[in-house]
Amino acid sequence: MFSNRHVLRWSAPVALALIWVAEICVAYPIGEFPIIDDWSYAQSVWWTVEAGALRLHDFTSMPLLTHVVMGSAWTVAFGKSFTALRALTLCTGLAGILSLFYLSRTLGASRRTAFIASLALALNPMYLVLSCSFMTDVAFITLGLAASALFVGGFNSEQRLHRNLLLVLAFAVALAATFERQVGLALPISFGVALAFRDGGPKWRRARFFLPALATMLCLTLYERWLSAGPGLPVEYHVPLAKIRLALGYGVAGFATHVLGNLTESLLLIGLFAIPIVALISLNREFWQPKALWAVMSVIIAVRCAELGVQAAFYAETFFDLGVGVIAMYKWQTILEPTLWWPVMLFVTAACIYSVGALVALGLTHRSQLIVNPLALGGMSLLLLSLAPIVAGELHDRYLLFPIALVLVMCAVSLRDVALSRVATPVTVVLLVGLFWFSAAGVHDLFAMNRVRWAILNGLMDSGVEPSRIDGGFEFNGLHTFHLGSALKFGLTGGKSPYWIVDDEWAVSLSPDDDRGYVVVETHDVDLWLSDDLGPLYLLRRFEPQAMLVPSAAESESPAGVPDEAIVPSRTGSEGSS
């Protein structure tokens, strides 16, 4: 039978898995439709399976090889569907949570703090919603954390064979992470920093530890050239680098302002999602010695918030004040403005500044570790290298998930020798329960809205309306009209929504109000838990002005004065139509 030691060893991982499953069950992420960009990644997988050779979608700005390989194997086993690929990412998400736990434990964190850090990642609304998609973020985080855990295990091992085996595996997983997203290059570089610092030999001898990083860069370069010569390099492949070059073109002052703005918003978001573990140290005075620097950081962030407007500082893509998920439909910009009462947003902003200050103070308290601990230096290198392209290029909140995970690990490890306050643990539990509800309910609302939205769109197509005549939202038009060619560049709207619109005769919108000649054809309610921001949905149809002036014989029988030709055939099982 199992001993108490075995029970204790497996209790935390099992509890994390059960909480993850419970969160998914509450969120109920069911529906055969894409989320955010994963329509392009799914098509890359399906094309590769059908052709028996790699083929990447042009709307791809990363290597994606690891993603396509995993997705292809999964598709062969479980079939071609968005639901199957979503299940793959949900499993990968659990692996990422467990990787964070074992990385924290390997670095010396207590079981309790490692568990809380892992829960803070699992309950992060961005992590949950991205796990319910086929996006690359969660797979990259899992690979990055797994590579780091393997590296730390090898680094600390005293048996030569065991050490070398783990280090080889760590660099192999880091290579897989780099072939998922280019920023994975930070992994072998930071591993090399830690190994070189520990070696203490002459510089020429230390240089050998960076050979895996150079080999990874060479493999990535050869892969890009192979794509260019064979399957085809995606049109969007170098867009992230182009955005950094664009920022550099602002001049020294402009680039510095750009970096400062992105860094400030990044710190706010990192601080926000580190609050559960910051609560563990919030009453410990030893972390508040460097008050001057904390005050300076707080002033910088506060000024930036005042510049943006306190609510705008938290208006992000993957989560917003009363919901979760990237929303891109007709007139969505005017609907999803922050709606929380401004004192509430002010309080949240203050809590984030407090959290950032705590993280800075925590780092300064352990700054001596950077001089004597190679792993601490390697970890800080990894954090800075993963943040650098985010603050220098275009900031998307979901890009910060990997730095957030690293910060959670660092916090858990830093707390290993600290006597925690009795009040801090209950406060942390309350925060985590609230985060569970917000994340699960937010994802529930996102999928409830999308189930209604795609029922409307599928009904339109079933009734004979071509996808090229519909503004169905970013994912719909990406899936159906991206292939129509360069004339439909993303962002070149001509007064239309900025995502490959051909003819927006029909539109699905969160608002019935319009100044472009649309009339409401159908209204569909959505079962929402958090707020009414994502419903109801309106099916709109636009008519030429002269056509609208010609009354039809049966116009009086049309609902709400809508011409007969605007009415689409009714659909069986359309949720919430009225």
Side-chain angles (χ1 to χ4, degrees):
M1 297 298 291
F2 294 109
S3 64
N4 290 336
R5 184 172 61 85
H6 285 95
V7 171
L8 187 62
R9 179 181 179 182
W10 289 102
S11 59
V14 170
L16 287 169
L18 291 175
I19 292 171
W20 181 244
V21 171
E23 190 178 21
I24 294 168
C25 291
V26 173
Y28 194 64
I30 302 300
E32 186 53 27
F33 44 76
I35 296 292
I36 319 178
D37 298 344
D38 70 357
W39 52 271
S40 63
Y41 307 145
Q43 286 186 320
S44 295
V45 167
W46 298 335
W47 292 341
T48 298
V49 171
E50 291 168 2
L54 181 66
R55 181 185 170 191
L56 300 183
H57 197 285
D58 272 335
F59 194 65
T60 300
S61 57
M62 62 202 70
L64 204 68
L65 179 61
T66 305
H67 212 58
V68 171
V69 169
M70 292 193 304
S72 297
W74 193 268
T75 298
V76 170
F78 298 102
K80 174 184 173 181
S81 71
F82 287 108
T83 302
L85 294 176
R86 189 175 301 135
L88 169 61
T89 314
L90 287 168
C91 295
T92 307
L94 176 58
I97 296 164
L98 297 178
S99 295
L100 191 146
F101 177 80
Y102 283 112
L103 174 59
S104 301
R105 291 288 289 150
T106 305
L107 286 168
S110 69
R111 185 172 282 102
R112 177 170 65 164
T113 54
F115 181 78
I116 290 173
S118 303
L119 264 188
L121 177 66
L123 304 181
N124 186 306
M126 294 190 292
Y127 191 80
L128 178 60
V129 73
L130 292 168
S131 295
C132 297
S133 72
F134 189 56
M135 296 289 285
T136 62
D137 305 81
V138 171
F140 174 76
I141 292 167
T142 299
L143 290 169
L145 293 174
S148 300
L150 289 168
F151 175 78
V152 173
F155 189 92
N156 291 332
S157 178
E158 297 180 357
Q159 298 179 3
R160 183 174 180 179
L161 180 61
H162 184 252
R163 177 175 66 249
N164 291 339
L165 176 61
L166 289 180
L167 290 178
V168 168
L169 287 174
F171 281 111
V173 176
L175 178 65
T178 306
F179 274 89
E180 182 81 359
R181 300 173 72 164
Q182 296 95 323
V183 73
L185 277 170
L187 291 162
I189 293 174
S190 61
F191 295 167
V193 168
L195 290 169
F197 185 83
R198 183 180 69 170
D199 184 73
K203 292 182 180 179
W204 64 265
R205 183 178 172 182
R206 296 186 189 188
R208 74 184 192 276
F209 296 117
F210 294 96
L211 290 177
L214 293 175
T216 302
M217 295 174 66
L218 177 62
C219 290
L220 190 60
T221 302
L222 293 175
Y223 173 71
E224 291 179 17
R225 293 187 177 181
W226 175 73
L227 285 176
S228 299
L233 189 70
V235 173
E236 303 281 333
Y237 191 85
H238 291 298
V239 165
L241 184 59
K243 290 177 178 176
I244 295 177
R245 289 174 177 168
L246 178 64
L248 289 170
Y250 298 157
V252 176
F255 182 69
T257 302
H258 170 78
V259 169
L260 179 61
N262 280 351
L263 179 60
T264 302
E265 294 177 45
S266 298
L267 288 174
L268 279 171
L269 288 166
I270 291 173
L272 175 65
F273 292 116
I275 285 177
I277 201 163
V278 165
L280 290 176
I281 62 171
S282 59
L283 300 178
N284 195 313
R285 293 184 178 180
E286 73 176 273
F287 294 121
W288 297 101
Q289 294 172 2
K291 295 178 182 178
L293 182 55
W294 178 85
V296 170
M297 291 292 298
S298 300
V299 169
I300 291 174
I301 294 175
V303 168
R304 182 63 179 170
C305 289
E307 226 175 86
L308 295 171
V310 68
Q311 295 193 10
F314 285 96
Y315 183 61
E317 294 173 315
T318 317
F319 82 101
F320 47 96
D321 57 359
L322 285 176
V324 175
V326 175
I327 311 298
M329 295 188 296
Y330 179 66
K331 294 193 72 174
W332 84 94
Q333 304 98 324
T334 61
I335 304 301
L336 298 179
E337 294 296 331
T339 55
L340 281 178
W341 191 35
W342 72 265
V344 176
M345 290 304 297
L346 185 63
F347 175 79
V348 173
T349 305
C352 291
I353 294 173
Y354 179 92
S355 179
V356 171
L359 293 175
V360 172
L362 184 64
L364 290 175
T365 302
H366 293 84
R367 61 188 180 277
S368 60
Q369 294 295 314
L370 296 177
I371 302 174
V372 300
N373 189 336
L375 288 175
L377 183 60
M380 185 56 66
S381 301
L382 182 57
L383 176 61
L384 295 177
L385 288 171
S386 60
L387 271 175
I390 299 173
V391 299
E394 185 177 30
L395 173 63
H396 295 277
D397 57 359
R398 57 190 172 85
Y399 292 175
L400 292 167
L401 270 175
F402 187 59
I404 288 171
L406 294 177
V407 168
L408 293 173
V409 171
M410 292 176 181
C411 288
V413 175
S414 299
L415 291 170
R416 60 186 170 186
D417 299 321
V418 175
L420 300 177
S421 166
R422 294 180 180 179
V423 178
T425 301
V427 169
T428 299
V429 171
V430 170
L431 289 172
L432 290 172
V433 170
L435 200 55
F436 177 100
W437 170 250
F438 177 82
S439 300
V443 173
H444 168 275
D445 287 1
L446 176 70
F447 275 80
M449 183 274 290
N450 270 298
R451 284 191 289 271
V452 175
R453 170 189 168 197
W454 283 86
I456 297 171
L457 294 168
N458 290 333
L460 270 181
M461 292 187 292
D462 290 344
S463 67
V465 179
E466 292 294 326
S468 59
R469 295 166 56 196
I470 304 172
D471 178 350
F474 173 78
E475 297 93 340
F476 176 85
N477 289 97
L479 188 64
H480 290 285
T481 61
F482 179 93
H483 67 283
L484 295 180
S486 59
L488 299 176
K489 293 284 188 182
F490 181 81
L492 302 181
T493 65
K496 303 172 183 176
S497 298
Y499 38 75
W500 313 291
I501 301 298
V502 182
D503 175 14
D504 54 355
E505 175 188 351
W506 297 88
V508 177
S509 176
L510 288 165
S511 171
D513 301 323
D514 185 74
D515 55 4
R516 294 189 59 211
Y518 280 104
V519 294
V520 176
V521 177
E522 295 177 358
T523 302
H524 295 256
D525 293 322
V526 182
D527 177 25
L528 300 173
W529 291 356
L530 282 181
S531 76
D532 57 359
D533 281 352
L534 298 183
L537 290 180
Y538 301 92
L539 176 61
L540 310 177
R541 188 175 184 184
R542 178 173 49 78
F543 296 87
E544 296 298 330
Q546 59 271 25
M548 292 296 294
L549 296 176
V550 180
S552 63
E555 184 174 350
S556 59
E557 299 178 8
S558 301
V562 178
D564 287 340
E565 59 269 28
I567 303 175
V568 297
S570 60
R571 298 183 300 281
T572 59
S574 61
E575 182 178 344
S577 61
S578 62

